[in-house]
Amino acid sequence: MENAKIYPLNRNRFEGGTAGSAPETPPKPKLLDQVRQAIRTRHYSYMTEKAYVHWIKRFIFFHNKRHPAEMAEAEIARFLSSLASDGHVSASTQNQAFNALLFLYKEVLGKKIGLIEGVVRAKRPQRLPVAPTKEEVKKVIDQMNGLPRLMAILLYGGGLRLMECCRLRVKDIDFSRNEIVIRAGKGDKDRHTMLPAAIKESLSRHIEANRSRHQEDIGKGLGRVALPNALERKYPNAGREWA
């Protein structure tokens, strides 16, 4: 042990970096993660986020994985034209893809996009709307049972969209006023609509039947719902309340 050498402790081995160097900066988020963050910052819906990310990925793969920062109007025009001529998409689908790319360049890359010329536009067919009669709707609903029947009557009688019905909460149904409050609907807007009289009693029974199930879920550490924005931090127990 007399000839053993004592080496100084290499602090850089444990702390990372070299002596005197600045701490490493975190890596920049990937492009699609930046897109998701920009969408969530603006409180767009999850369906919008899903659609925009989908079209941006297709745009990148269409151009052999080139980074969008290296492309501009000409590449956008070729992609949109391909959707119409090769993909035979509808006009609304082509417009959705265009909006996704505009969002990418304006809000994420900070790059101004000028006039996009030469795009093959998808044709918007001229068709008359087809609306079922009251009798036809009644025949369909009569073939349904349980929760799907309740939801179908809410959609038809209250004018709810599908996701508005799925996200409906107990506190937003006012049986005394025969009214439903739709929160954060399309365009992140709230609105009032009617509670269909045909569903009032059955909906009330459905809610009461699920109250005990909710208490059982709470006892198991479950029974929570997602709260928008920062409400989860502001009211940490609100997501477990029956309302």
Side-chain angles (χ1 to χ4, degrees):
M1 296 297 292
E2 295 179 358
N3 297 325
K5 296 182 179 180
I6 300 177
Y7 293 94
L9 179 64
N10 186 355
R11 298 178 61 87
N12 295 322
R13 177 182 175 187
F14 300 97
E15 297 179 359
T18 58
S21 65
E24 295 184 3
T25 57
K28 189 176 181 180
K30 295 181 179 179
L31 179 64
L32 293 181
D33 290 335
Q34 295 180 51
V35 172
R36 294 185 181 96
Q37 184 61 40
I39 291 174
R40 293 171 189 178
T41 300
R42 290 159 179 79
H43 304 299
Y44 289 4
S45 70
Y46 171 70
M47 299 304 294
T48 300
E49 174 185 328
K50 187 176 179 180
Y52 278 20
V53 170
H54 166 78
W55 288 118
I56 292 169
K57 287 174 66 176
R58 284 190 58 171
F59 174 66
I60 294 172
F61 278 91
F62 179 81
H63 290 290
N64 299 317
K65 299 183 180 180
R66 288 176 60 191
H67 196 284
E70 302 173 358
M71 300 183 281
E73 292 85 353
E75 288 80 8
I76 295 176
R78 286 202 297 272
F79 174 67
L80 295 176
S81 296
S82 174
L83 291 179
S85 59
D86 300 329
H88 305 291
V89 301
S90 65
S92 60
T93 300
Q94 189 184 44
N95 288 335
Q96 185 186 68
F98 181 45
N99 290 334
L101 296 180
L102 285 181
F103 181 88
L104 169 67
Y105 280 94
K106 180 181 179 182
E107 307 296 347
V108 180
L109 299 178
K111 185 176 180 180
K112 186 176 180 181
I113 295 297
L115 181 63
I116 300 177
E117 298 179 328
V119 177
V120 177
R121 303 297 298 181
K123 295 182 179 179
R124 188 181 297 274
Q126 299 294 327
R127 294 194 179 97
L128 294 175
V130 178
T133 64
K134 291 177 61 176
E135 291 74 17
E136 291 172 334
V137 173
K138 185 177 184 302
K139 289 180 180 179
V140 172
I141 293 178
D142 286 343
Q143 301 301 315
M144 305 176 72
N145 296 293
L147 185 58
R149 176 186 172 88
L150 292 178
M151 295 180 69
I153 297 176
L154 279 174
L155 293 174
Y156 181 71
L160 278 70
R161 297 180 177 89
L162 178 59
M163 293 309 299
E164 291 173 348
C165 183
C166 292
R167 294 169 179 162
L168 198 61
R169 297 180 179 175
V170 174
K171 67 182 184 64
D172 295 328
I173 303 174
D174 191 335
F175 288 97
S176 62
R177 301 175 63 180
N178 296 325
E179 186 177 80
I180 299 175
V181 180
I182 308 299
R183 302 193 184 276
K186 188 172 183 178
D188 200 25
K189 297 178 181 178
D190 298 348
R191 73 178 192 277
H192 292 81
T193 187
M194 69 180 76
L195 173 64
I199 202 180
K200 187 174 180 180
E201 292 185 7
S202 55
L203 181 59
S204 178
R205 290 195 301 268
H206 171 76
I207 291 176
E208 289 303 318
N210 282 274
R211 188 190 293 268
S212 58
R213 181 182 301 175
H214 174 69
Q215 293 300 323
E216 293 177 3
D217 290 340
I218 293 296
K220 298 176 182 178
L222 306 173
R224 297 187 66 91
V225 295
L227 296 179
N229 305 326
L231 290 178
E232 188 75 39
R233 296 193 301 271
K234 188 175 182 181
Y235 305 108
N237 295 321
R240 303 173 62 196
E241 294 178 0
W242 169 242

